[in-house]
């Protein structure tokens, strides 16, 4: 079965709008902390319905796995998408690597996929990465098709929103429209390997860390647009070594070019919901349009356990 059958065009390129902009980091099935964080920001009411008016809300992906109610998070996101639109606002999401993995296990299950030294299956990798059977039991065709329609990147108010702190997106195109189109086509392929390769690419991380981090960030923005990158995927405690319980907000790094919204909720950190701007975006350094850096792969951790 094709994952994205009937999926409409959902390009992630979004124009600047005069309304508050909020971004949510990785949730990983922690529905109640998500509700509490959205309520605190005035985006939902006590009953869990949209209360944000014309506000814009973006989820950065990784709704499921490792937490008690991943499908509850999917259901809430779908509900808020409808309710926000009716109120003149918007609630949207980006695909993360765990959405790709969930789609893979749902549609391809025990089909063999290649790994170093042999092969495994979507199901095995899903279980190894926190997949929970009660989520899969509740996952429906309608939810799968809704997820498959979502973009992987967006530029909103000059913020480049992506799930992964990686330049792997450029392997699928040089514009957001091209990347989203290519990934929709991959998700529409009835064969499992394109989905598997996409999952593995979106697990890459660490591109904006270290000595080349500012160059990597500038290269990505130089291709896709934006003046500041906002991502999830890599928990802030992994980057800083901090106690997850002490994380109290997003992390700005790479000379101010990058914001990390993954509080490490499954490690004991917070569910981060931030209103942007945290501060004024900085002018990026000259990007790697220079022949010496164009096309470099900056990711420093291909993460053999995927996470």
């Amino acid at each position: 079965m094709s994952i994205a059958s009937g999926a409409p065009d959902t390009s992630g390129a979004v124009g600047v709008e005069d309304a508050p902009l909020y971004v949510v980091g990785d949730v990983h099935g922690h529905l109640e902390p998500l509700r509490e964080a959205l309520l605190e920001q005035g985006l939902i009411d006590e009953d869990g319905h949209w209360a944000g008016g014309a506000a814009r809300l973006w989820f950065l992906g990784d709704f499921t796995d490792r937490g008690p109610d991943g499908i509850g998070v999917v259901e809430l996101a779908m509900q808020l998408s409808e309710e926000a639109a009716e109120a003149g606002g918007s609630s949207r999401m980006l695909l993360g690597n765990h959405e790709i993995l969930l789609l893979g296990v749902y549609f391809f299950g025990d089909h063999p996929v290649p790994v170093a030294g042999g092969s495994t299956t979507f199901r095995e990798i899903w279980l190894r990465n926190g997949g929970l059977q009660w989520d899969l039991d509740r996952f429906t065709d309608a939810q799968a098709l809704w997820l498959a329609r979502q973009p992987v990147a967006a530029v909103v108010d000059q913020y480049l929103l992506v799930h992964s702190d990686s330049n792997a997106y450029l392997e699928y195109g040089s514009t957001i429209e091209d990347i989203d189109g290519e990934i929709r086509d991959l998700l529409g392929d009835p064969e499992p390997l394109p989905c598997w390769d996409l999952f593995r690419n979106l697990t890459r991380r660490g591109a904006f860390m270290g000595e080349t981090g500012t160059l990597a960030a500038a290269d990505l923005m130089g291709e896709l647009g934006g003046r500041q990158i906002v991502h999830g995927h890599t928990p802030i405690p992994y980057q800083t070594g901090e106690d997850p319980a002490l994380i109290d907000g997003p992390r700005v790094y790479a000379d101010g070019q990058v914001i990390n919204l993954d509080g490490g909720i499954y490690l004991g950190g917070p569910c981060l919901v931030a209103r942007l701007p945290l501060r004024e975006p900085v002018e990026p350094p000259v990007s790697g349009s220079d022949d010496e850096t164009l096309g470099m792969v900056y990711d420093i951790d291909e993460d053999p356990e995927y996470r």
Side-chain angles (χ1 to χ4, degrees):
M1 180 177 182
S2 170
I3 294 176
S5 300
D9 187 345
T10 53
S11 168
V14 178
V16 175
E17 300 176 43
D18 186 19
L21 173 63
Y22 296 84
V23 184
V24 185
D26 300 37
V27 180
H28 283 297
H30 291 77
L31 178 60
E32 291 312 311
L34 171 62
R35 287 182 183 274
E36 291 169 8
L38 293 174
L39 179 63
E40 184 177 350
Q41 294 283 6
L43 294 167
I44 64 171
D45 61 23
E46 294 283 353
D47 296 321
H49 295 290
W50 180 256
R56 295 163 294 157
L57 176 65
W58 279 86
F59 293 89
L60 297 180
D62 280 7
F63 284 169
T64 64
D65 305 335
R66 300 199 176 97
D69 195 359
I71 299 306
V73 175
V74 174
E75 291 170 344
L76 178 61
M78 293 176 72
Q79 169 204 317
L80 294 180
S81 178
E82 293 183 3
E83 292 179 350
E86 291 172 358
S90 64
S91 178
R92 299 188 63 184
M93 73 163 292
L94 302 177
L95 285 174
N97 58 303
H98 282 262
E99 280 76 42
I100 302 299
L101 185 56
L102 180 62
L103 290 169
V105 73
Y106 185 69
F107 286 102
F108 304 121
D110 293 315
H111 193 286
V113 291
V115 294
S119 65
T120 184
T121 66
F122 273 104
R123 188 178 307 280
E124 172 58 31
I125 294 297
W126 173 70
L127 290 169
R128 191 185 304 173
N129 285 272
L132 299 167
Q133 187 62 45
W134 57 76
D135 275 344
L136 191 59
D137 290 343
R138 293 170 55 200
F139 196 44
T140 66
D141 281 351
Q143 292 165 350
L145 293 174
W146 183 80
L147 286 178
R149 294 184 179 113
Q150 307 309 312
V152 296
V155 175
V156 187
D157 294 0
Q158 299 192 63
Y159 296 98
L160 173 56
L161 309 182
V162 290
H163 172 70
S164 304
D165 46 326
S166 169
N167 63 347
Y169 297 95
L170 298 181
E171 297 183 15
Y172 297 95
S174 58
T175 68
I176 287 176
E177 292 81 2
D178 288 347
I179 292 167
D180 280 334
E182 177 67 15
I183 288 176
R184 276 196 304 275
D185 288 346
L186 292 179
L187 292 178
D189 195 314
E191 295 300 318
L193 290 185
C195 182
W196 173 248
D197 288 341
L198 176 61
F199 162 67
R200 292 196 64 179
N201 281 333
L202 291 191
T203 65
R204 285 155 50 178
R205 67 178 80 242
F208 314 130
M209 298 280 286
E211 294 181 359
T212 61
T214 56
L215 284 175
D219 273 0
L220 192 63
M221 288 185 283
E223 292 286 339
L224 302 185
R227 293 178 57 198
Q228 203 167 27
I229 296 169
V230 183
H231 73 83
H233 186 51
T234 298
I236 294 170
Y238 284 1
Q239 292 185 327
T240 65
E242 295 174 81
D243 181 341
L246 299 181
I247 301 298
D248 61 0
R251 178 178 185 239
V252 181
Y253 68 107
D255 291 343
Q257 293 185 85
V258 185
I259 302 172
N260 185 352
L261 260 291
D262 185 350
I265 193 166
Y266 68 91
L267 302 171
C271 178
L272 294 180
V273 178
R275 180 173 177 176
L276 300 180
L278 301 178
R279 66 179 193 185
E280 286 301 312
V282 299
E283 288 291 345
V286 176
S287 78
S289 54
D290 167 343
D291 288 343
E292 292 185 4
T293 61
L294 187 62
M296 281 179 60
V297 176
Y298 295 95
D299 308 276
I300 60 175
D301 180 7
E302 292 192 12
D303 202 353
E305 291 300 317
Y306 303 115
R307 290 203 288 260

